[in-house]
Amino acid sequence: MKIHGKLIIIGGAVDKGSFTETDLDTNATKNLNFFEEGILKRIIQESAHKENSRIEVITTASKIPRQIGPEYVKAFSYLGAHNVDVLYIEKREQASEPEIIERLKAADVVMFTGGDQLRLTSILGGTPFDDILIDKYKNTNFIYAGTSAGAAAASNNMIYQGSSSEALLKGEVKITSGLGLIDDVVIDTHFVQRGRIGRLFQAVVGNPKVLGIGLGEDTGLLIKNGRQMEAIGSGLVILVDGREVKDTNLTQVELGQPISINHLVTHVMSKHDTFDLDTFKMTIKSSQYV
C-alpha cells in the first residue's frame, strides 16, 4: 500500500531556541542556524502549504501541557508559520469530541511533544482520533511529527520502560503497542545521551524482523512513502538490524540474567544519509568512496 503522508520522528531535546528567556530577540542570532537548518524548519518545508500549513501541537504525553504547548507555537511562529495552535487532549473522552476531531481533519501537520509515551497511547489508542490520524497519514499529504514520546509512540511496537544500565538483562525492557503508523520498526529516543543501545538490542533480538531505530537528541528521521528514511538534525541515528543474528541465549536464561547475541548488525546515520526499509540499504551522503 502506498503511503501518502510523511513521518518526522525526533529523538528529543529539539533545539527550538530559548523561548523561556526574556531576551529572545537580542539572542536571536544564536538560534538562526537552528532555525534555518533545524528540524522544525524542515517540518514546515515538507508540509503541504509550507508556512501557511495548519499545524496542531499535541501535548497529551506531557505532564505540563500548558507550559510546553505555547513554546512550540512560539518556535513555529518565529520560523514564519503562524497558523499554529495547541490541541489539548488530556482525557480519553476528549479524543472523540467533534470539535477536536474537526481540528484534526483540518490539520496539515500534527506535532506530538515529549513526555510519557504510555500516557499518549493509553489516552489516544483505539479512539476516533487515532483512527483518523492513521487514515490521514496513509491517504493524504499529511505530516505526523513527534519528538521523544511522540516519536516512540509512532510505531506499532513501542518501548515504554527499561533501565539503560541493565537493558541487556532479560525482561528489563518493556514493549507494548504504539499508535501504529509504521510497522516492523521499534523506536528509542534520547538514544546517545542516555546510553540506550542495550534497550534496542534486547527489543530487536526478541523479534529480529523489527528494525531498531535509536534517535539522538536534536536528531530525527524523515520517512516518506513509509519506506524511505533520511536523517535530519545535528546528531546521530543508530539502526539495529537483527535479521542476521546467528545465535542468542534469550530463551535459555532466567529473567534478570544477561543476554548474549551473536552477529547483530548496526548502522550509524548522520544528516542527509538515507536508508531504504525495503532493501535495508544505507546510502552515506558524503561517502569517501564517491
Side-chain angles (χ1 to χ4, degrees), residues 97-245:
E97 291 178 359
E99 179 185 351
I100 286 178
I101 294 299
E102 289 306 309
R103 284 177 61 177
L104 175 60
K105 287 181 177 178
D108 300 300
V109 178
V110 291
M111 176 74 209
F112 282 82
T113 69
D116 181 348
Q117 55 262 45
L118 197 57
R119 174 177 168 81
L120 181 57
T121 56
S122 65
I123 290 175
L124 295 182
T127 65
F129 187 95
D130 189 23
D131 293 339
I132 293 167
L133 182 73
I134 293 171
D135 181 70
K136 280 178 68 76
Y137 167 65
K138 289 183 176 179
N139 297 304
T140 68
N141 184 12
F142 173 76
I143 292 178
Y144 173 106
T147 183
S148 190
S155 56
N156 191 47
N157 305 282
M158 181 183 80
I159 297 173
Y160 71 92
Q161 186 177 328
S163 163
S164 298
S165 61
E166 299 178 346
L168 276 174
L169 303 181
K170 183 177 177 178
E172 282 296 318
V173 178
K174 307 297 192 297
I175 299 175
T176 188
S177 297
L179 295 176
L181 283 87
I182 183 168
D183 296 327
D184 299 333
V185 303
V186 63
I187 301 161
D188 209 352
T189 58
H190 301 282
F191 193 71
V192 178
Q193 291 77 2
R194 299 187 188 178
R196 289 179 167 173
I197 189 78
R199 298 203 329 179
L200 212 52
F201 284 173
Q202 181 163 170
V204 169
V205 77
N207 184 357
K209 177 184 179 183
V210 174
L211 178 73
I213 298 175
L215 301 169
E217 295 185 353
D218 193 31
T219 304
L221 283 174
L222 166 63
I223 306 175
K224 296 182 179 180
N225 305 318
R227 313 309 295 170
Q228 303 294 326
M229 305 197 305
E230 177 192 342
I232 58 178
S234 64
L236 300 175
V237 178
I238 312 296
L239 303 180
V240 179
D241 177 3
R243 297 175 308 152
E244 297 181 29
V245 167

Side-chain angles (χ1 to χ4, degrees), residues 4 11 27 55 86 90 100 119 141 186 204 235 252 271:
H4 295 273
N27 280 328
I55 302 174
V86 184
E90 298 167 14
I100 286 178
R119 174 177 168 81
N141 184 12
V186 63
V204 169
Q252 302 305 111
K271 191 173 182 179

